[in-house]
Amino acid sequence: MSATSLGNDAPASAARRLLRHLLFSEYLVLYLSLLYFVAVLPLVPEMASAEVLANILSDMLPLLVVAIGQTFVLIVAGIDLSVTSVLAMASVVGASVMTGDGGYLAGSPLAVPGAILAMLAVGLLIGAFNGLCITRFGMPPFIVTLTTMMFFSGAAIWYTTFHTETSSIAGLPGGFVAVGQGSAAGLPHALWVVLAVGIAAHLVLARTVLGRRLYACGQNRRTAMVSGVPVPQVIRTAFVISGGCAAVASILYTGRLETGTPILGQAILLDIIGAVVIGGTSLFGGKGKILWTVFGVLFLVLIDTSLKMLGMSLFSVFAIKGAVILAAAVIDALRTRFSARL
């Protein structure tokens, strides 16, 4: 081989190594987020303003909480479509407990904590029901969670009309609204809640036996079972965590809206699953990190915000986000294939 040929191959080889490094980098989506932000600035310079950046953070927080729960489910090679119905059901149940107009604990000092506990209970119970159906009856997660999504979405509407003649439940106490809108030490209360959930989730996945079992179930359930992992229990736990995280997100959303509504979260299922997949959590199970989900949520919210500021129609926004999520799924498949060859 001539020296000229070697000289031509060197840049190509370096480019392939760089591409491989970027493709498998944990920070790929963060790099893409920064690149996208810089690229869109000439078109929408307002993106760099403090107000818009604060709105991006505000939009990220509740979405990130429910996406963290979805991360646990995807790690065990499942999927949870019912999270949007958990958002809605928890919202109206919590509002019915504490609202000043006919609430079960109206005027009581226990109204706010009672409502929060009721909302968490809704999420945990729906998650436990999903996990039980999947592990006890061997039903596919897609079918189970699709069914519970439809059932509890309808149940949320029925519950609202049963409790009040209007389409939502308003009159929430100021103490609860402060959870979604207030601040402490100069930072939103919602940020402190999300930080607590995110750190706890990271520690569970990275430092506990449960975390190792979750990854093992996602990689190969049969091998995990032979190794002594209680696979059904681990899968049920993943769905309970997903339901609990959706309930926490419902608390944040409901506090921000100051209203319990049965249509809460109807339009964000694509964002929830898409953000986790974009971040790098594998649809095939066995791979995922909370940090990746943070990057995925950031990237999706950046795209959503910029497209809206460009004045694009809702149809265009959904089409572009769908294309981005499809590209992320293709990259996930390529990563899995390349990893198998290494």
Side-chain angles (χ1 to χ4, degrees), residues 226-253:
V226 171
S227 302
V229 175
V231 173
Q233 180 181 339
V234 171
I235 293 173
R236 287 196 295 269
T237 302
F239 279 91
V240 169
I241 291 173
S242 178
C245 286
V248 173
S250 180
I251 293 169
L252 299 181
Y253 275 125

Side-chain angles (χ1 to χ4, degrees), residues 44-102:
V44 193
E46 297 85 0
M47 282 281 290
S49 68
E51 181 180 359
V52 173
L53 292 176
N55 288 335
I56 289 174
L57 176 63
S58 177
D59 291 341
M60 281 183 61
L61 294 177
L63 179 61
L64 177 56
V65 175
V66 67
I68 286 172
Q70 192 74 218
T71 303
F72 279 81
V73 173
L74 289 181
I75 285 175
V76 297
I79 193 167
D80 189 356
L81 303 178
S82 69
V83 287
T84 53
S85 63
V86 173
L87 289 170
M89 195 70 199
S91 179
V92 296
V93 168
S96 70
V97 169
M98 61 183 157
T99 182
D101 184 18

